[in-house]
Amino acid sequence: MLGELIMRSRLAWLGVIGLFFASSSGCLTDFHPLPGDRTQAQDGSGAKVFGQEAAIEGVGATPDPYTVSQLVSYDNRWGDAPSPNSPVVIENAANDGFGAFSRDGLKNRDGSGTLNHKGVTADGQAMHVFRRSVLAIDTAPGCQGFDNIVRDYSGLSGAGVAVCFTGDAIELTDSTDLPLQDARGNKIESLDDLMSLLVRSRLNDGDTSMDLRLRKIVFQKSAIYFREPLVLNMGNARFFNFKLSSYGNEGALIQLISHLDRRNVNTGDWFQDFTLDFGDFRLTLPKKLNISFNMETMAIIDQTLKDRVARTGPTAVRRN
């Protein structure tokens, strides 16, 4: 029943986005906001998309490790964004803290945004400031992907993944209502309700972190069966914060990149219809979510991971 509930939800697949954003210095490049909506700030530091952030380390991006937050700014009161007259400014801000999450910048919550604000690590000690990283300006419907990127401080050969939303995107706020109910008929009215249901089914009361083990990806008549599960830590299950360390995940990431190579994937090719199998539940991403890979960056990450395995062995553990 839990798996069915997750698959029906409009929002549960957001966690998967954290994986693609984080796993290879990815970035949101195309975004179609809700008609009549606008953000309070228009300088690239407006609303945090879905209220979601992700942390990554060990792939050679700048900085490394880092936490990335996708921010959008727009005025869509006339329903014509994205367009040259109503551009959507997308700032993929990053800080140099692994899991330095922040609650600033949620839509209709904090008009000053996340950019240049601080995120706090789990121990509450280190403060890390979100700085400009990858900037995309979306001025047309559909998916332009890497062509929308006008500035890139992420290192490597540019952002590894471009993420595009076609159709009206859903932005998460604390007051978002979900037309769902659980097996006992209890109405699920908020994101917290939904995530609490998932957390209660997997964890002891009071614990809001867990590891998700990705075992299989199916997309466009192609499947990847991971020999070793790709482990994604949901650092705070209620707030959609995710951590992915490449240390200990080298095998699965190398296998993923090898699969793309074997399929002769080119930079700019778009993919849809992803289903991710975590063993005890599966997630199907909506068709309006499109993903494109920068294969030059994928090759650099692949070599970085292979060099590390050659030095330390396949069971490398993340540094403390």
Side-chain angles (χ1 to χ4, degrees):
M1 177 61 189
L2 175 61
E4 294 174 358
L5 173 64
I6 294 172
M7 292 183 71
R8 289 202 314 267
S9 170
R10 298 181 304 173
L11 302 170
W13 50 263
L14 298 182
V16 180
I17 298 173
L19 169 64
F20 286 106
F21 278 146
S23 62
S24 52
S25 185
C27 68
L28 181 64
T29 61
D30 304 79
F31 187 84
H32 190 167
L34 294 172
D37 210 352
R38 65 170 172 169
T39 56
Q40 297 181 40
Q42 300 296 322
D43 61 353
S45 60
K48 187 180 298 182
V49 180
F50 308 117
Q52 182 273 142
E53 293 167 323
I56 177 66
E57 68 173 351
V59 298
T62 303
D64 188 358
Y66 69 95
T67 300
V68 63
S69 184
Q70 290 77 37
L71 313 171
V72 293
S73 299
Y74 55 81
D75 186 345
N76 198 28
R77 285 174 292 176
W78 293 273
D80 58 349
S83 72
N85 292 328
S86 299
V88 177
V89 180
I90 304 169
E91 183 78 53
N92 295 267
N95 67 43
D96 61 357
F98 185 69
F101 301 119
S102 167
R103 290 290 279 169
D104 287 339
L106 287 182
K107 180 170 171 285
N108 297 329
R109 183 175 184 141
D110 184 348
S112 59
T114 297
L115 198 63
N116 298 321
H117 284 206
K118 294 178 179 179
V120 184
T121 53
D123 59 15
Q125 301 299 315
M127 302 295 284
H128 302 263
V129 177
F130 281 92
R131 303 296 189 190
R132 297 189 183 280
S133 179
V134 180
L135 173 67
I137 299 180
D138 189 8
T139 61
C143 299
Q144 295 78 51
F146 299 104
D147 290 340
N148 283 341
I149 297 176
V150 298
R151 184 189 66 238
D152 189 344
Y153 297 151
S154 66
L156 300 176
S157 297
V161 178
V163 180
C164 167
F165 284 94
T166 57
D168 298 334
I170 302 170
E171 290 173 65
L172 224 55
T173 67
D174 289 345
S175 60
T176 298
D177 289 331
L178 305 180
L180 299 172
Q181 63 184 26
D182 64 16
R184 297 181 179 179
N186 298 314
K187 187 176 181 182
I188 300 174
E189 296 183 326
S190 70
L191 172 63
D192 285 353
D193 291 342
L194 177 63
M195 294 312 298
S196 293
L197 179 64
L198 173 60
V199 170
R200 286 198 308 269
S201 70
R202 300 283 296 277
L203 306 169
N204 295 325
D205 289 343
D207 189 356
T208 60
S209 65
M210 64 180 176
D211 287 340
L212 299 178
R213 297 179 180 273
L214 181 61
R215 302 180 184 278
K216 173 180 163 185
I217 302 177
V218 179
F219 62 102
Q220 295 184 216
K221 300 179 181 180
S222 175
I224 307 171
Y225 298 83
F226 289 110
R227 291 183 290 271
E228 301 174 5
L230 181 61
V231 179
L232 178 67
N233 176 259
M234 186 179 290
N236 187 320
R238 297 181 63 211
F239 295 152
F240 278 126
N241 295 334
F242 297 86
K243 299 177 182 178
L244 175 68
S245 174
S246 69
Y247 296 92
N249 273 318
E250 291 94 342
L253 291 172
I254 290 171
Q255 188 179 346
L256 172 61
I257 297 171
S258 296
H259 180 84
L260 298 175
D261 283 335
R262 288 196 303 271
R263 292 199 62 205
N264 296 316
V265 172
N266 296 311
T267 298
D269 291 346
W270 288 101
F271 295 92
Q272 293 178 321
D273 300 328
F274 283 81
T275 296
L276 294 98
D277 192 333
F278 293 90
D280 52 352
F281 68 92
R282 290 176 293 173
L283 300 177
T284 298
L285 280 66
K287 291 184 180 297
K288 67 182 178 182
L289 173 61
N290 304 266
I291 298 172
S292 181
F293 297 93
N294 182 333
M295 295 308 296
E296 185 176 357
T297 296
M298 292 294 104
I300 295 173
I301 294 174
D302 182 61
Q303 191 60 53
T304 299
L305 299 176
K306 288 178 178 176
D307 289 346
R308 185 190 307 152
V309 170
R311 292 193 308 270
T312 62
T315 57
V317 178
R318 180 175 75 83
R319 66 184 180 278
N320 293 324

